[in-house]
């Protein structure tokens, strides 16, 4: 696949309702996921699991890009094929998580800043040689008593902008991911406020760093109440508030917005994406970059057993197709059965 510029890479990833499979769980996060199915998180088991996903039929036509972890981009299948080649065979582009996780922000117990900027340029050059065409950097923002602080928002936005600039210099598309966490009992209004402050600071910093917005992908949270919030908020409200926030903060020349699922269940995250695309009226492609919401069913079906690979692949393929339909605004509940 040959691309003439960064914009054409970004557009390819979300073409015709395609989205991104986030399979870039760090080894500790992968262990957490494997613990839920009592599978040991060894290098081989992590490889087997990722191989299962990338070989699934539903990759083709539904998944335009896969985000990998450093270990995974270097792994081969059990018959010696690089996992990167499996992804390309399914006409998806390989991407790579380049942040190095989180550290406390100014001695805070809660707020975090993302690590990994120091040697980023050299690592990007290596990943590009290995075939990566896009990258991801995740910042997290917490809602709580007087949080998020403006200082934490701005520090993370600054780092995201420096990251994006470095990645583009290395000929890859940066996914900028400022995730306002769902943890807590906050209201949807508080999430709106934190998300809009975060996105405004992000785009101001991207502009100051002269990042090419047309060669960038935004991976935001949806505007939802916290996971411990008591009142139930309807799908339509989440869709409308998320779109209102994006219209307020995101420039029209950004090609793609691919949401994270952030702890929403598989069907709820599909339903929300579909509702936004049914409303329409925005300049960006609105698609998905789900981790848990694409993998939960597959993981449960797999249980680390080779005899379960087919069932696990079917579960993943189904979610991939459902989310493609949602990215086109063509999903409905009756497709789930
Ligand atoms: P979730 O969809 O599970 O939130 O994961 C997406 C991701 O890549 C978070 O960085």
């Amino acid at each position: 696949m040959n691309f003439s510029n960064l914009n054409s890479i970004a557009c390819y990833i979300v073409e015709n309702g395609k989205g991104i499979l986030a399979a870039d769980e760090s080894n500790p996060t992968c262990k957490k996921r494997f613990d839920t199915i009592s599978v040991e998180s060894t290098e081989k088991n992590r490889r087997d699991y990722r191989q299962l996903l990338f070989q699934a039929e539903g990759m083709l036509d539904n998944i335009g890009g896969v985000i990998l972890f450093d270990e995974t981009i270097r792994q081969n299948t059990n018959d010696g094929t690089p996992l990167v080649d499996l992804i390309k065979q399914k006409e998806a582009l390989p991407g790579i998580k380049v942040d190095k996780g989180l550290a406390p922000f100014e001695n805070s117990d809660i707020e975090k800043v993302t690590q990994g900027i120091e040697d980023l340029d050299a690592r990007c050059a290596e990943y590009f040689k290995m075939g990566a065409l896009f990258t991801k950097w995740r910042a997290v923002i917490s809602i709580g008593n007087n949080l998020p602080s403006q200082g934490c928002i701005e520090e993370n936005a600054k780092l995201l902008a420096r990251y994006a600039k470095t990645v583009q210099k290395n000929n890859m598309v940066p996914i900028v991911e400022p995730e306002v966490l769902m943890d807590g009992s906050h209201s949807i209004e508080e999430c709106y406020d934190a998300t809009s402050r975060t996105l405004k600071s992000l785009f101001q910093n991207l502009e100051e760093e002269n990042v090419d917005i047309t060669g960038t992908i935004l991976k935001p949270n949806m505007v939802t109440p916290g996971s411990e919030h008591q009142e139930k908020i309807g799908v339509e409200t989440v869709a409308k508030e998320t779109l209102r926030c994006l219209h307020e903060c995101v420039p029209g020349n950004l090609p793609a917005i691919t949401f994270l699922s952030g702890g929403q269940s598989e069907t709820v995250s599909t339903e929300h994406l579909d509702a936004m695309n049914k409303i329409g009226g925005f300049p960006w492609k609105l698609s998905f970059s789900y981790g848990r919401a694409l993998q939960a069913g597959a993981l449960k079906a797999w249980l680390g057993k080779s005899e379960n690979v087919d069932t696990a692949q079917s579960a993943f393929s189904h979610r991939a197709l459902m989310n493609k339909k949602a990215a086109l605004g063509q999903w409905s509940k009756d497709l789930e059965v």
Side-chain angles (χ1 to χ4, degrees):
M1 278 170 268
N2 277 324
F3 296 98
S4 53
N5 56 27
L6 295 180
N7 178 256
S8 56
I9 295 174
C11 292
Y12 178 89
I13 292 171
V14 293
E15 204 168 71
N16 300 326
K18 285 186 190 182
I20 297 172
L21 164 63
D24 60 325
E25 298 84 2
S26 64
N27 290 350
T29 303
C30 206
K31 179 177 179 330
K32 251 198 266 173
R33 306 275 185 267
F34 280 13
D35 281 350
T36 66
I37 53 164
S38 303
V39 169
E40 201 188 338
S41 181
T42 60
E43 182 174 349
K44 180 184 174 296
N45 286 344
R46 290 191 293 270
R47 191 281 311 272
D48 287 351
Y49 175 62
R50 265 74 180 246
Q51 176 175 340
L52 168 170
L53 294 176
F54 307 160
Q55 282 178 330
E57 229 169 79
M59 282 280 296
L60 194 68
D61 291 333
N62 304 320
I63 302 294
V66 179
I67 319 175
L68 302 167
F69 185 60
D70 181 77
E71 175 184 275
T72 324
I73 200 172
R74 302 169 194 279
Q75 282 176 321
N76 297 331
T77 60
N78 51 354
D79 69 7
T81 311
L83 291 189
V84 166
D85 290 354
L86 282 190
I87 292 167
K88 291 195 222 158
Q89 283 163 17
K90 300 288 191 192
E91 297 175 15
L93 306 184
I96 181 81
K97 169 194 179 77
V98 297
D99 67 73
K100 288 183 170 173
L102 307 170
F105 169 67
E106 289 181 353
N107 302 320
S108 167
D109 293 338
I110 300 170
E111 296 200 295
K112 303 273 192 275
V113 71
T114 307
Q115 299 175 290
I117 203 78
E118 290 76 18
D119 58 348
L120 181 63
D121 193 35
R123 290 188 293 121
C124 280
E126 187 194 5
Y127 288 138
F128 180 72
K129 272 195 209 139
M130 295 169 87
L133 288 171
F134 70 101
T135 67
K136 177 188 113 171
W137 177 283
R138 174 175 178 255
V140 304
I141 301 294
S142 298
I143 300 178
N145 242 341
N146 291 320
L147 296 183
S149 68
Q150 198 58 27
C152 180
I153 288 179
E154 280 167 21
E155 181 61 23
N156 275 302
K158 230 177 247 150
L159 285 166
L160 276 161
R162 282 177 61 196
Y163 141 80
K165 187 75 194 166
T166 306
V167 167
Q168 290 188 339
K169 185 182 141 237
N170 283 284
N171 303 307
M172 295 180 286
V173 168
I175 297 183
V176 287
E177 180 182 11
E179 175 174 2
V180 176
L181 295 173
M182 270 180 87
D183 305 352
S185 57
H186 53 267
S187 63
I188 189 168
E189 289 82 8
E190 287 169 285
C191 179
Y192 187 103
D193 178 69
T195 305
S196 65
R197 282 165 59 205
T198 300
L199 293 179
K200 279 177 188 160
S201 176
L202 172 63
F203 283 99
Q204 192 183 329
N205 278 277
L206 291 174
E207 195 180 312
E208 282 166 15
E209 278 285 348
N210 283 314
V211 170
D212 174 9
I213 297 295
T214 69
T216 302
I217 294 176
L218 173 67
K219 173 164 174 166
N221 52 285
M222 296 178 196
V223 175
T224 67
S227 46
E228 314 287 311
H229 189 73
Q230 296 304 322
E231 190 191 347
K232 178 133 177 49
I233 302 289
V235 170
E236 198 67 8
T237 306
V238 169
K240 280 189 182 147
E241 289 303 286
T242 303
L243 285 180
R244 188 163 71 86
C245 189
L246 295 173
H247 278 297
E248 188 190 330
C249 307
V250 180
N253 61 344
L254 182 89
I257 296 177
T258 58
F259 292 101
L260 59 96
S261 59
Q264 299 181 50
S265 76
E266 290 173 298
T267 40
V268 168
S269 49
T270 303
E271 222 173 334
H272 284 154
L273 179 62
D274 180 65
M276 285 185 262
N277 279 300
K278 283 197 165 85
I279 294 170
F282 38 77
W284 332 277
K285 281 274 168 60
L286 231 56
S287 189
F288 57 93
S289 175
Y290 294 159
R292 285 162 285 179
L294 274 169
Q295 296 182 44
L299 194 65
K300 243 200 226 155
W302 177 50
L303 298 173
K305 299 194 169 98
S306 52
E307 64 265 32
N308 293 337
V309 164
D310 284 355
T311 331
Q313 286 180 324
S314 304
F316 167 66
S317 294
H318 176 69
R319 286 275 37 96
L321 176 64
M322 291 300 99
N323 285 309
K324 179 219 181 92
K325 298 244 180 227
L328 296 169
Q330 294 171 359
W331 175 85
S332 64
K333 260 202 178 93
D334 52 305
L335 295 172
E336 289 290 348
V337 282

